[in-house]
């Protein structure tokens, strides 16, 4: 629908910036038309859950392979493909939900398979592997601020093992965008894989506690996941918004294999910004009482400091 694209329109002369409709990731003629006069192609196709139309194999294996092949045919100079920091051929499953639930595909496994195909078809492709990306009105932090997050108790925030065994390294969206822009002009970028992470690693429990307290919402506390209740939600919602893959990815700690050899945003001339500095900006749309003077706010919360952890 045209109106859903309005927020994506950029400034430009009349007729210079146009959208090319694409009905399907398998519609090769439309892909060729979209890439016909392009020197840079960036693949950002993805989704949080599998649907009846497309599963993770379609989105993260077939789509990147088709785009890379057609980009090669069209003579595209720079092809940039987005994957995931924890993409792995055999991602671990930390939460046991039983064997009777529809499991679907693992997005991390399919993204790894897609990376291999992209590298094979378009050897000069630039692959970005970001951690969880946060920004203003993003989906990442909103799922922790939302008052009914997979819980039958209104103010509880259920996280696997209360987030004490999970370490995250989220990255600011503008830093990733700057890295992509620099990769377009960097002569050494083609053929490389870049890992996009923030400058510091945080325990998930500490990070969620910090974010929710900044928002000054009603008292929230972090609990362990109630697997039996999650199983009911998965059955009711047909494995979409609440699904096994999303919860498994959330429980998995961010890790760069062979960190001393891996290329990061710093290699593209970008210094990632700290979550400590960006958290007030990210949470501003969700803050309670922000239009009231301090003297009228009855409940005030002590905001815990973000504490970086070692590997």
């Amino acid at each position: 629908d045209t109106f859903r694209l309005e927020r994506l329109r950029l400034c430009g002369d009349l007729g210079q910036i146009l959208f090319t409709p694409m009905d399907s990731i398998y519609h090769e003629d439309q892909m060729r038309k979209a890439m016909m006069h392009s020197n840079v192609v960036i693949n950002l196709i993805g989704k949080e859950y599998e649907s009846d139309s497309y599963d993770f194999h379609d989105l993260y294996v077939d789509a990147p392979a088709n785009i890379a092949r057609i980009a090669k045919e069209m003579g595209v100079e720079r092809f940039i493909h987005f994957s995931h920091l924890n993409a792995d051929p055999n991602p671990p499953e930390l939460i046991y939900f039983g064997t009777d639930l529809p499991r679907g595909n693992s997005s991390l496994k399919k993204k790894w398979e897609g990376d291999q195909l992209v590298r094979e078809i378009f050897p000069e492709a630039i692959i970005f592997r970001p951690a969880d990306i946060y920004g203003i009105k993003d989906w990442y932090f909103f799922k922790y601020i939302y008052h009914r997050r997979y819980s039958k108790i209104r103010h509880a925030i259920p996280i696997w093992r209360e987030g004490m065994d999970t370490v995250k390294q989220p990255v600011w969206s503008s830093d990733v965008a700057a890295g992509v822009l620099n990769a377009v002009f960097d002569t050494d970028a083609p053929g490389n894989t870049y890992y996009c992470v923030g400058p510091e690693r945080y325990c998930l429990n500490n990070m969620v506690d910090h974010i929710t307290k900044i928002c000054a919402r009603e008292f929230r506390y972090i609990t362990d996941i109630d697997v039996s209740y999650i199983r009911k939600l998965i059955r009711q919602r047909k494995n979409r918004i609440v699904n096994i893959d999303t919860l498994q990815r959330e429980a998995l700690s961010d890790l760069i294999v062979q960190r001393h050899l891996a290329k990061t945003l710093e290699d593209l001339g970008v210094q990632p910004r700290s979550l400590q500095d960006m958290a007030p900006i990210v949470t501003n749309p969700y803050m309670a009482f922000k239009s009231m003077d301090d003297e009228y706010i009855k409940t005030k919360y002590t905001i815990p400091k973000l504490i970086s952890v070692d590997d």
Side-chain angles (χ1 to χ4, degrees):
D1 184 27
T2 305
F3 294 102
R4 297 185 66 181
L5 303 175
E6 289 298 328
R7 65 185 182 86
L8 301 176
R9 292 189 180 279
L10 307 176
C11 295
D13 293 334
L14 181 62
Q16 296 301 310
I17 299 175
L18 302 174
F19 290 96
T20 302
M22 189 170 70
D23 299 330
S24 169
I25 58 176
Y26 296 106
H27 203 309
E28 296 187 2
D29 290 338
Q30 290 180 339
M31 287 188 181
R32 288 188 176 91
K33 181 180 178 181
M35 290 185 266
M36 187 179 299
H37 304 292
S38 301
N39 61 337
V40 177
V41 170
I42 304 173
N43 175 32
L44 288 171
I45 292 178
K47 202 154 192 176
E48 285 286 323
Y49 55 87
E50 296 180 296
S51 66
D52 296 333
S53 300
Y54 300 106
D55 59 16
F56 286 148
H57 185 86
D58 297 324
L59 296 173
Y60 299 136
V61 180
D62 291 346
N66 290 341
I67 295 172
R69 176 171 51 82
I70 295 173
K72 196 73 173 176
E73 292 177 9
M74 295 292 103
V76 173
E77 299 174 12
R78 296 287 172 100
F79 175 53
I80 298 176
H81 169 67
F82 267 76
S83 180
H84 192 282
L85 178 69
N86 292 326
D88 190 272
N90 296 298
E93 293 188 357
L94 301 178
I95 310 174
Y96 180 72
F97 290 100
T99 58
D100 58 324
L101 286 179
R103 308 191 69 78
N105 296 303
S106 168
S107 62
L108 297 179
K109 180 179 180 179
K110 293 303 177 182
K111 285 192 176 187
W112 184 86
E113 294 176 4
D115 293 353
Q116 308 310 306
L117 284 176
V118 166
R119 187 63 74 201
E120 178 183 344
I121 298 170
F122 204 121
E124 305 85 12
I126 304 170
I127 297 178
F128 277 79
R129 285 188 171 179
D132 295 306
I133 301 175
Y134 66 93
I136 298 175
K137 289 195 173 181
D138 65 352
W139 175 243
Y140 181 59
F141 283 137
F142 174 75
K143 64 185 179 183
Y144 297 115
I145 299 170
Y146 183 52
H147 67 90
R148 295 281 299 197
R149 184 185 178 269
Y150 316 154
S151 176
K152 51 190 172 184
I153 304 174
R154 179 178 174 81
H155 303 305
I157 305 176
I159 303 175
W160 179 70
R161 293 187 179 177
E162 300 183 7
M164 299 302 296
D165 293 342
T166 304
V167 178
K168 293 294 185 180
Q169 199 169 356
V171 60
W172 176 243
S173 57
S174 295
D175 293 334
V176 179
V180 171
L181 185 61
N182 292 350
V184 172
F185 299 99
D186 191 340
T187 56
D188 297 328
N192 287 324
T193 299
Y194 293 95
Y195 295 85
C196 306
V197 294
E200 296 168 335
R201 296 164 59 81
Y202 303 108
C203 177
L204 184 58
N205 181 287
N206 176 227
M207 188 173 69
V208 172
D209 195 26
H210 179 80
I211 293 296
T212 53
K213 292 297 190 301
I214 287 181
C215 292
R217 297 279 178 166
E218 298 175 15
F219 179 70
R220 312 259 172 138
Y221 57 95
I222 300 173
T223 63
D224 199 356
I225 280 182
D226 184 352
V227 175
S228 62
Y229 182 67
I230 296 295
R231 284 169 54 87
K232 293 179 182 178
L233 287 181
I234 291 175
R235 291 185 182 280
Q236 292 172 0
R237 304 189 185 188
K238 297 182 181 179
N239 200 18
R240 293 203 173 185
I241 303 299
V242 181
N243 60 77
I244 294 176
D245 181 75
T246 301
L247 296 172
Q248 295 287 8
R249 280 191 286 114
E250 180 186 67
L252 198 61
S253 294
D254 291 340
L255 179 65
I256 299 178
V257 181
Q258 296 181 336
R259 178 62 187 263
H260 62 289
L261 298 176
K263 292 184 178 294
T264 60
L265 289 174
E266 286 87 344
D267 296 290
L268 291 171
V270 178
Q271 184 59 44
R273 279 166 278 194
S274 172
L275 177 61
Q276 183 79 51
D277 300 329
M278 306 310 298
I281 300 175
V282 173
T283 57
N284 183 267
Y286 312 112
M287 285 185 181
F289 314 117
K290 66 177 181 179
S291 60
M292 297 174 62
D293 294 334
D294 291 342
E295 59 182 301
Y296 297 106
I297 300 176
K298 297 180 180 179
T299 306
K300 295 185 179 180
Y301 302 99
T302 302
I303 300 175
K305 292 186 62 176
L306 281 172
I307 302 173
S308 60
V309 298
D310 298 329
D311 294 340

